[in-house]
Structure formats: structure tokens, C-alpha cells
Amino acid sequence: MRQTWVTPGGVHPPENKLQSLTQPIGSLPIPDKLVVPLGQHIGAPAIACVSVGDKVLKGQKIADPAGTVSAAIHAPTSGIISAIESRPVAHSSGMDALCVEITSDGDDKWIEKSGISDFEHTSAKALLSIITEAGIAGMGGAGFPTAVKLNPGFQRPIDTLIINATECEPYITADDSLIRERAEEIIEGIGILSHILGNPHNILIGIEDNKPEAIEALAPHTQDTGINVVSFPTKYPSGGEKQLIYILTGKELPSGQIPADIGMVCVNIGTTHAIKRAVVDGEPLVSRVTTMTGEACEINRNYDVLIGTPVEHMLEHNNFDAQSCSRVIMGGPMMGFSLTSKQIPIVKTTNCILAPSVEEIPHNEPAQPCIRCGMCAEACPVSLLPQQLLWYSQAEDHERLEAHNLFDCIECGACSYVCPSNIPLVQHYRSSKSDIKKAQEEKVKSTQARERFEFRQQRIELAEKEREAKRAARREAAQQAQASTGTDAMADIIAAAQARAAAKTTSPEQELAKLQRAVSSAEMRVEKAQVKLDAALENAEPTEKINILSAALSGAQQKLEKAKVRFAEHPN
Amino acid sequence: MAFKQVSSPHAHGAQNTAKVMQLVVWATIPGLIALTWHFGWGSFINVILASITAVVSEALILKMRRRPVGFYLGDYSAVVTAVLLGLALPPLCPWWVVVVGTLFSVVIAKQLFGGLGYNPFNPAMVGYVVVLISFPIEMTTWVAPLALLPDGITHPDFLESLKLVFFSTSPMDGVTGATPLDSFKHAAGLTVDQIYQQDSLFSQAMFAGVGWEWVNLGFLVGGIVLLGSRVFTWHGPVAMLVTLALMSLIFWDSGSSQSPGSPLMHLFSGASMMGAFFILTDPVSSAVSNRGRLIYGALIGILVYIIRAWGNYPDAVAFAILLANFTAPFIDNYTLPRTYGHTDRRKATERLEDK
Ligand code: SF4
Ligand code: SF4
């Protein structure tokens, strides 16, 4: 047995996994209309490359990735593009977003598939481009474009590949059933990943010990492959990337860094299956395994669902009872979000549709005051003090929130789960996080505005001083001219004029040098900001960070412009 | 059809505040039984009287503050405060002492600070200290333990006790006596051994003081139950008891006439166990992090000992806890846990510019 490490905190909510595991993965009839959102991943939404009225085949690309951090989108079935417009989508904000609607023709006719049988002899670059073209994004929940993750750059050699099969959220069994039924394909997918990453030293499949069948299913295929299946005690949230890294390796991912920075890559096990399909079978990502569960549905099982299938279609085929249902959740009961409409489609990251009855998940009780009991702190997997975060979040004390590491909160909900006062802690944290981000952006903006203003003010002052100096000089000259009577006085005037001239020539030179230095240092700053931004883009940092960096870049550029203007305006 | 939007997590554990508070009340029962057994019905009457006063006054205040009365009363926090105060007050003390103490606890120390969760000081202890300072005679008259009553005399029965509480004008005679901590305070010039031989409070006891050892054992049992149900963590109580024991060991002075008493005597006398498991664990007014609670508990242990040994009052738990309440926010600022992915602990007062 390989050693594993234990994270602090964590909770043990009822697992509720058995009910959806009684039957094998099934399939649903093809819905009449599929709604495929263009932004199903982290990063820029894809750009539609079809137009309304076009006929498409299953697997045909309907949207191109927009830039590096993005993913292509494909038609989940054959049919006709019937609309490209804003629709409600799966997003915690409940906002609408651009979607492509396909009216299915019922044939489900594939494009011509071209797979690669010997990926070992294919270059990493070619495989990465297949993965990009297949539109694969992390299927565990975050939806990060996989090809970007698999390409950390030569300066970050990868020695550990972690496959996340934890599936720690209650109710969800999508990965579990996928492993039970398609272990061989999964291991082949892991082989491809390993090849792309230059055969990392350690390949670990992290899985909770509540999935013995899945562990057994993996065993015959991992023999003599160097792949380690590591099981560890079930506890929520072990499946968080940071938690899993610690459990398997005893290392912590430093705050603000990505796993590649410490030589690791973490991929969800469902994603490895999609990669195998893309590379070996030539099938882009058009469907995924999703758990349909909860007491408000008569049938609880896993389905291979086409991306874009409206939730309503799934619910109907499982005899959904709207009366007894407390809410429809996309994802699990701990981190999933409640849907506002049944029209919302399944996307690449949808691992579960949970329709619990009111008895199962009652309506939220009103929050009582925090009694500072500390149960939340005992449950927090990253050792925060949720009660203090709540306090400062209500006080809107941003500095204290940052000092209490609000941004290290993974929003796992363990704290709210145990809170005896029913306080929706995570909701408070989310809104504080977005407030702080907004404030930071505004600060960047206002600093720029202030600098512009100050610069203008300076220029006006300078001009005024110059004018004043000239006036004074004229006055003096006039007075002296009046007073002068002899050559002595004349000589004085000449001497004074010479002195003035001398003063003028030395100081402007220095002035000019100073301005020049200002220009070149501003140039350097612009260059540095550009490098940082490029690096961030390449590493596919979160959008907020990129926004801040690009704001910093444009700030630096503005300063450079100013410096140049000052340089040019100088009289010499 | 549109659904309601609710924030995650959707699942919730079984715990709720009312249940936690009820559990705390149940956990005081072993202590209450010990008190009643050894000191008569007085404590029981205190608890009931304080509870009624607390619930009525909290309801009135909530009404005045225009808060939903049922919702806030339902958290049982007023009852917990009342029960703890009732247990701390001397048995058979006049009814108005109980009522005044409770009113101070609930109205001034809790509701005027904003209600449950916002009180910087432990309400029960505020009430206790107010009556202790205002009515020193009533507050320092303790009933003698059953075992030490003269032959043929028992504690007054329940009705008799009620009469004493409501109609007696002077503290009752015959059944009062000193507490072990009093004995130590006032037995100047005697060595510990001499006190133990001469004072029947000790000579007839098993290991600490007649009656008191049982009361403290009762609260210890209740506290262990609460610890087992994870109502609080071990850090605060253990830190307090360990420092209290250490202090009395350091200043034991080999039992000379200067000695303030043995560790066992201090651990099982006065309000030691009740303070450790029921008062300093009040989460609202204590430090929040586990490390913070270690420091907080240790501070209380030290203060209790200092006041008992060298202060003016024989027992000190109430004062020590109130003093420590003052320091809790400062302790909090410097005892943040180390967050995952950070190499250092941070300070709550850290400014972004400092970095
Ligand atoms: S669990 Fe709830 S009530 Fe207890 S300290 Fe945390 S937020 Fe407050
Ligand atoms: S949601 Fe955040 S604060 Fe709450 S337990 Fe999870 S990480 Fe800790």
C-alpha cells in the first residue's frame, strides 16, 4: 500500500451513491432540439463557425476556440442549425449566454472519424492538437481546456501525473460507473497523457475507498503499467485538486500556483476517457456520462448523455415528479448549483443532475446568528476560520478578509454543511470575493485616472512657472535698463545675462537627461508587464489575473506615452 | 417552469443551534444532581427561577427590539445562560439576587450588545459578578454540605426551601458553612496537613472537599459528554485545568502554612470544572481558533489561581473568565491557523501594503 496523507477538516455527508449504481450506463432517445452553449469551459467562449440553416453531422465542429485558453465545440448529433442566440445556461449566476441550437434529424450520423492507432509514435504536439480540436475540457467540474493543462512548457517538467477518480460529492456516480464499464479505455487514455507529458515518473489514480468495484475494475489493466491505483478513506472534499495532491503526495500546492509549478498535472478520470476517444477513435467530445438521481425521479441511473440535451428531456424520461422536488441541482449537493430553468442544457462539465425530494433536501431554514461555535473551522479542509470570514464579510472589511485568506477558500461548503445556525457561509464568501475583485479593478482604473490627472496638473504648473520666470526676467531687465547709466552697469547686465544663459544651458541638459531616463525606464516597465502577461496567458491563469495584468500593462504603456510626450515637449 | 435559485451547499448536517444549546442544558444535570444532593434544593430553585426570568425578559426585550420572539427564543441560549447562572449562585440565596443577576445577564450583557452571537462577555458571568459585588453577604453565604450538618438536622425540604428563598429576610442559620476555598483563605498560620486534619470539610472528604468534589465530578462528567458530542473542542478546558494544576503545583510550597492548596483541591473545588467545561467554552465570548483557545484557557487557569491565592475573593472563575473575554479579540488576531498552501501563519491585522 502506498502511503497517503490526511487533510484537516472535512465532513461525511450521507453518500447516497448506491441508488444510481443499480443499472449500467444507459442512453436516452435523441432530443428533438439540442442547445449547445459556446462557453462550456474556463476561458473565452468559442466562436460559432456555422450559420442558421446549415446542415451538420454528428461530431462536426460548430465553433472554433477563441485563442489559446478556449475549446472547440462540436455538433452532438446530425441535424440542422436552427438558432444561434442567447439562452439560459448552466452557470451559478443564472445568466443567459450564446448557444447554438440544433434540430436533430434523428439519424445521429457521424462525420468520418479518423483515429490514431499508435499514439506512441505520434508527437506530443500532434496529440495536443487533436485534443484541442476535439474540444476536450476538464470534465470533473471546472472545465479547464485540457490541452492547455497538458502543455506546461519545458521550464516546468512534470514528474507526477494525478488522475482524479475521487468523486467525493454525495450522489454522483458518473466516474464510478465509467470506470466499472470502461476501465480499459481509461487506462489507454492515461497512456496517451503520460506520453504527452514525457512519461512522468509517478502516475497515480486517486480514488476513495467507497468504490471497491471500480478499484477492482482498474486492477487488471494497470498491472505492469507503472500506474498506481491509490485508494484512501472517503471524506468530503478529498476530490478538490489541492486536497487530492496533498492526500497522494503529502505536498501542498502553494497558494496562487498551479500544479505544474510543482511538477504535477491533475486530470479528471472522465477526461482521460474522452481523450482516448478523441485520439484513438477520432471522436470529439459530444457526449458524457451524467448521473440522474434524487428521489423526485423514479429512475436513478447513469446515462451517456449528448452535450446540449436539455435537462427537461432527462427529467421526463425518468418520470420526474415536480410536486415532490425541492430543487433541481446541476452537480452534487455540496457544490452544485440549482437550476432556474428546465431548458438548461447538459454541458461538458455536468456530472450529475440531482432532483431531490423535499424530505431528502429540505428547503433552507432561516439562518440564526453565528454562535462562534467553531464547528465550521473544524470542518474546513484548508484551515480557514469561516466564522471570522463571515464576520468580516458582513462588515465588508476587505483587508481582514484577505488577511484571513478568503481567496484560499475552495467553496466546498463543508463549513455551511456543519453550521448549526444554518448560515449560508459560502454565499457570503462568494459575494465578498466578487466585491473585492471589483474594488481591485476599480483601484487599478482610478490609479490610472489619478496619474493622468496629476500629470496634467504638473504640466500646467510647469508652464505657469516658466511664464512667471520670463515675466520676472523681463521686469528685471527693464528695471536695470532704467537704472543703468554707465559702462559698469552695462557690464553688469552682460554678466548677469551670461550667468542666466549659463544657468539655462546646464539645467536643461540635466532636465533632458532626466526625461530620457524616464522614457527608457517606462519602456522597461512596459516590457516587463508584457512578459508577465504573456506568461500568464501561456499558463492559462484565471481570467481575473489576466485582466489585472493587462490593466497593469496598459497603465505602463500610458506612462510611457506620457514620458515620451514630456521628452518631446522639452524645448531642446 | 422556473425553479428557485438556492446557493450551495444544498445538503445540511443534522446539527442545529437549538439542539446544541439543549445538549448543554442536559449536560449540567449531573452537576445539578450533585449540588442538590449535597446542598439541598437551593440550586434547583435557582435554576428554575433564573430560567423563568431569562425567558420572560428575553421575550420582552425582543419585542421591544422588534425581533421575532419565537424564532430567537427557540435557540435556547437564554435558558443556557440562566441555568449556568442559577448553578453558580449560592443555594437558598434570596429570590431577588437570582432575578437581578439574570436580568443583568440577559438584558444588559446579551441583548443590549445585540443578542446571541454579539456579546463580548459571558452573560452568566456578568450577572454573577454584578450580584457578587452588589450583595456580598448573600453571595458568600453557602449552605453546608449534607455530610457536615449536625446530627438530626437536614437541609430544608423543597417547600421549606421555597419559603426561605422568597420570604426569609436574613440568611438562614444553622445550615450555612464555609467552602473549601474559604477555609484555605482564612486558615492563616496552619499548614495544609493541619487544615486537612482540623477542618471536617477536608477530613471527611475523599480527595478534595466534602460535597464539592462530587459537584465538580458531576460537571466533569457533563463536560466529557459535551466534548464527546463535539459541542466544543478540548483545547480551552484542558488548557485551563492543566495550567491551574501546574500553578498550584509550582506554588504548593510543600504544604506549608503559606501554601494556597494542592492541585487536586484546586481542580475539584469551587467552580473549576463548571468553569472549564461550561463557562469558558461559551464560544461567543471566547477565542476562536484552536491555538487561540489554548492560550485563552491557559490564561484563565493562571488568573483563577492568582485570584484564589492572592486576591480578595475565595473563588475567581467569574472574574478570570471576564478578564479573559477582554483579551479574546487580541488573541484571535495573532492565532490564525496556517492555511493550506501558505508557509506562514498570517496576522489578522496584516495590511496588504505590508507585504
Ligand atoms: S459553524 Fe456556524 S455558528 Fe458555528 S462558528 Fe461557524 S458560522 Fe458560526
Ligand atoms: S467553503 Fe471555504 S471556508 Fe468553507 S469549509 Fe470550504 S474552504 Fe473552508
Side-chain angles (χ1 to χ4, degrees), chain B residues 252-263:
Chain B
W252 167 235
D253 203 12
S254 58
S256 76
S257 58
Q258 298 301 313
S259 172
S262 72

Side-chain angles (χ1 to χ4, degrees), chain B residues 9 12-14 18 24 52-53 81-82 116 124 128 141 147-148 202 205 227 238 318 333:
Chain B
H12 189 259
V24 173
I52 295 170
T53 316
T81 299
L116 177 62
Y128 181 85
T141 312
L148 297 189
F202 296 104
L227 204 54
V238 169
N333 282 347

Side-chain angles (χ1 to χ4, degrees), chain A residues 368-377 386-388 390 415-416 418-423 425 429, chain B residues 17 283 293:
Chain A
Q368 286 172 296
C370 168
I371 53 169
R372 300 165 73 71
C373 63
M375 292 185 191
C376 47
Q387 69 277 53
Q388 300 294 78
L390 170 71
C415 50
S416 309
V418 297
C419 175
S421 287
N422 286 310
I423 302 173
L425 295 161
Y429 305 154
Chain B
T17 299
R293 285 178 178 171

Side-chain angles (χ1 to χ4, degrees), chain A residues 67-81:
Chain A
T68 357
V69 187
S70 185
I73 312 274
H74 303 79
T77 189
S78 56
I80 289 173
I81 307 288

Side-chain angles (χ1 to χ4, degrees), chain A residues 271-437:
Chain A
T271 316
T272 67
H273 174 257
I275 287 172
K276 182 264 166 184
R277 287 281 169 98
V279 172
V280 178
D281 307 317
E283 289 180 10
L285 180 52
V286 291
S287 69
R288 65 154 300 141
V289 176
T290 299
T291 310
M292 172 75 250
T293 186
E295 277 173 13
C297 275
E298 221 166 88
I299 306 164
N300 284 186
R301 70 185 293 189
N302 284 285
Y303 287 104
D304 207 336
V305 191
L306 296 178
I307 306 290
T309 303
V311 169
E312 183 171 32
H313 183 76
M314 274 187 98
L315 292 174
E316 269 170 15
H317 280 273
N318 291 284
N319 302 339
F320 173 63
D321 173 16
Q323 290 307 312
S324 68
C325 181
S326 78
R327 59 192 90 172
V328 175
I329 300 163
M330 186 173 276
M334 297 301 286
M335 289 183 80
F337 43 91
S338 65
L339 298 182
T340 45
S341 150
K342 278 203 280 188
Q343 306 310 321
I344 289 176
I346 304 294
V347 291
K348 293 173 185 174
T349 52
T350 310
N351 47 12
C352 181
I353 297 295
L354 173 58
S357 65
V358 181
E359 295 82 58
E360 230 176 343
I361 294 189
H363 300 298
N364 288 9
E365 290 190 25
Q368 286 172 296
C370 168
I371 53 169
R372 300 165 73 71
C373 63
M375 292 185 191
C376 47
E378 290 294 299
C380 180
V382 293
S383 307
L384 298 174
L385 292 173
Q387 69 277 53
Q388 300 294 78
L389 289 174
L390 170 71
W391 185 272
Y392 294 122
S393 165
Q394 285 172 332
E396 294 181 14
D397 188 338
H398 292 179
E399 258 171 358
R400 287 280 170 120
L401 283 173
E402 297 222 28
H404 282 80
N405 293 325
L406 173 65
F407 282 91
D408 288 290
C409 164
I410 58 169
E411 299 182 13
C412 66
C415 50
S416 309
Y417 178 80
V418 297
C419 175
S421 287
N422 286 310
I423 302 173
L425 295 161
V426 180
Q427 202 177 336
H428 285 282
Y429 305 154
R430 279 203 201 106
S431 82
S432 283
K433 279 184 188 172
S434 82
D435 284 352
I436 292 178
K437 277 179 201 152

Side-chain angles (χ1 to χ4, degrees), chain A residues 43 87 110 126 144 197 201 203 288 309-310 340 412 431 495 564:
Chain A
R87 294 281 176 89
W110 271 99
F144 193 80
L197 293 170
H201 195 62
I203 303 177
R288 65 154 300 141
T309 303
T340 45
C412 66
S431 82
K564 277 185 180 160

